Amino acid sequence: MGWPFIGNMWSFLRAFNSQNPDSFIHNLINKYGPTSIYKTHLFGSPSIIVCSPELCRKVLTDDKHFSFGYPSSAIRLGGKKSLYGVPNSEHWRLRRLISDPINGHRALALYIGHIEDIVIPSLEELDTMDRPIKFFTEMKRIGLKVIAQVLLGSTKDSILTSMVEYYTELFPGVLSMPIDVPGFVFHRAIKARKKLVKMIEDEVDERRATTSVPAGMNKGMMDLLMEVKNETGEKLEDEHIIDLLLLILFAGHETTAHTVMWALIYLNQHPQMLQKAKEEQQEVIDETLRRSNIAFTFFRKAEADVNIKGYTIPKGWRVMAWHRAIHMDPNIYPNPKEFIPSRWENQRLKGRTFIPFGAGSRTCPGADLAKIQISIFLHYFLLNYELEQLNPNGPISYLPLPRPADDCLARIIKLP
Ligand code: HEM
């Protein structure tokens, strides 16, 4: 259980601030044996870590015994009225509201054209820059542009640039100590959140002031959230609409930007695979999701004393479905640190041991939209451009999500 109050945070941070984040889980396995279930104290709570495919699935799909259990910093930054803050009973209704417009063949087919209209000119613009750019920041700008189109039905470049900046300040606060005092990461994140709330509030007010959707714009998720009524005929409060939009704008661009960037870095390191990727994009995306482990764990909370695998998890404890350990398990994925897209020719792996989008009632609702966006991006990039990283072997920062410490400083070169 580690030290009083800070628990095992020190050894967790040491591992995740080094170049070998998996040393944290390997230490537990070496010390206590390969039981796949460990007792610890992390992010301010007594916690259980589960790290086998069976136990992760059990925790993620058993809504009776486990509720959403992210640290309070994540819930506060995600919003009390967003999917992260509301109780399970309300979660189901709100989740359907936001999932319907971004799932299913018809909805996704509609977005392909929009995504192409954003990705192609954005890549052309990057190519005209004569100095190295922070590729990761540019990917976030393009990702936010896509998700803003889906949500707000419009994209104003001026507000998108500020939004990327504020989300970049908010992000490190997600897994930080929730201390809202100047000088602390969380304080900066809360300040950035307030600015984002104001910007989204302005968008909602502006849309409400216009009677119909302006020419050239499509109905976005915002319009649908503003129109919807519950069984008793009541509309959603503005706070609900804003918190929902703020969370989805966030979840919808950070993740896809990370995945696109890692796919291109891995491919650059492996020229033969770059060639193959031009033919087989799907396998590349799946291997990137496995290897980069965008989220290293999913947080739940035990709602009752639960017995799993002969151990009792006490009521109130946090449970972490540590899926990074599954994706990096050499018994499941031989040479797990190697980027080997051809391992996905064995489709049997997918059903049981591959959970980059989570599992159960909280499974990522944006998974299909994300895959379409990443595919379109990679397609145009691989066929027309080259990424020249300035520090290809530089260090990686693993928290909150993995990225090169220099934000992937690079030149984008158009292929002849
Ligand atoms: C590569 C891209 C993405 C990855 C790897 C990813 C991953 C995930 C994972 C693992 C979860 C579940 C967390 C848990 O169970 O504790 C999740 C939830 C969520 N994701 Fe994604 N995501 C991606 C893209 C997107 C996109 C494009 C959107 C928006 C359109 C989105 C919106 C959401 C939302 C709203 C939730 C919360 C769902 C709920 O609590 O019911 N994500 N995502």
Side-chain angles (χ1 to χ4, degrees), residues 51-67:
C51 58
S52 71
E54 294 73 28
L55 296 185
C56 280
R57 272 187 191 278
K58 155 104 186 116
V59 168
L60 297 178
T61 54
D62 180 352
D63 285 345
K64 193 163 148 247
H65 289 109
F66 301 106
S67 59

Side-chain angles (χ1 to χ4, degrees), residues 9 21 72 105 107 131 141 170 190 202 226 241 257 273 282 342 356:
M9 270 319 272
S72 62
H105 186 73
R131 59 192 156 75
R141 208 168 52 82
L170 179 146
I190 287 277
D202 289 349
M226 282 161 59
I241 299 177
M273 286 166 206
Q282 185 59 48
S342 62

Side-chain angles (χ1 to χ4, degrees), residues 1-4 6-8 32 39-42 45-47 317:
M1 298 295 284
W3 297 87
I6 60 162
N8 291 114
Y32 302 107
K39 188 166 81 168
T40 182
H41 193 292
L42 282 182
S45 286
S47 301
W317 276 44

Side-chain angles (χ1 to χ4, degrees), residues 60 68 70 83-84 91 95 98 102 147 247-248 251-252 255-256 259 289 294-295 298-300 355-359 361-367 369-370 373-374:
L60 297 178
F68 216 44
Y70 278 76
L83 288 185
Y84 273 26
H91 166 255
R95 186 182 157 96
I98 62 122
I102 54 168
I147 193 69
L247 176 74
I248 304 167
T255 46
T256 47
T259 312
L289 287 165
I294 300 300
F298 307 133
F299 292 88
R300 295 293 184 268
I355 46 171
F357 293 104
S361 60
R362 295 280 179 161
T363 304
C364 178
L369 180 65
Q373 185 191 340
I374 295 164

Side-chain angles (χ1 to χ4, degrees), residues 118-138:
I118 292 169
V119 167
I120 300 170
S122 302
L123 284 177
E124 277 165 8
E125 196 189 317
L126 289 186
D127 166 50
T128 61
M129 301 201 182
D130 48 8
R131 59 192 156 75
I133 47 153
K134 282 198 170 171
F135 187 63
F136 179 49
T137 309
E138 295 304 324

Side-chain angles (χ1 to χ4, degrees), residues 118 141 144-150 152-164 199-207 210 214 217 222 249:
I118 292 169
R141 208 168 52 82
L144 189 64
K145 210 165 178 173
V146 170
I147 193 69
Q149 166 76 46
V150 172
L152 313 178
S154 70
T155 49
K156 281 189 220 136
D157 276 352
S158 55
I159 76 153
L160 289 178
T161 305
S162 313
M163 275 191 174
V164 168
M199 290 176 105
I200 299 171
E201 222 166 40
D202 289 349
E203 288 283 317
V204 172
D205 289 346
E206 198 178 306
R207 182 59 55 85
T210 52
M217 289 189 186
M222 175 166 73
L249 280 169

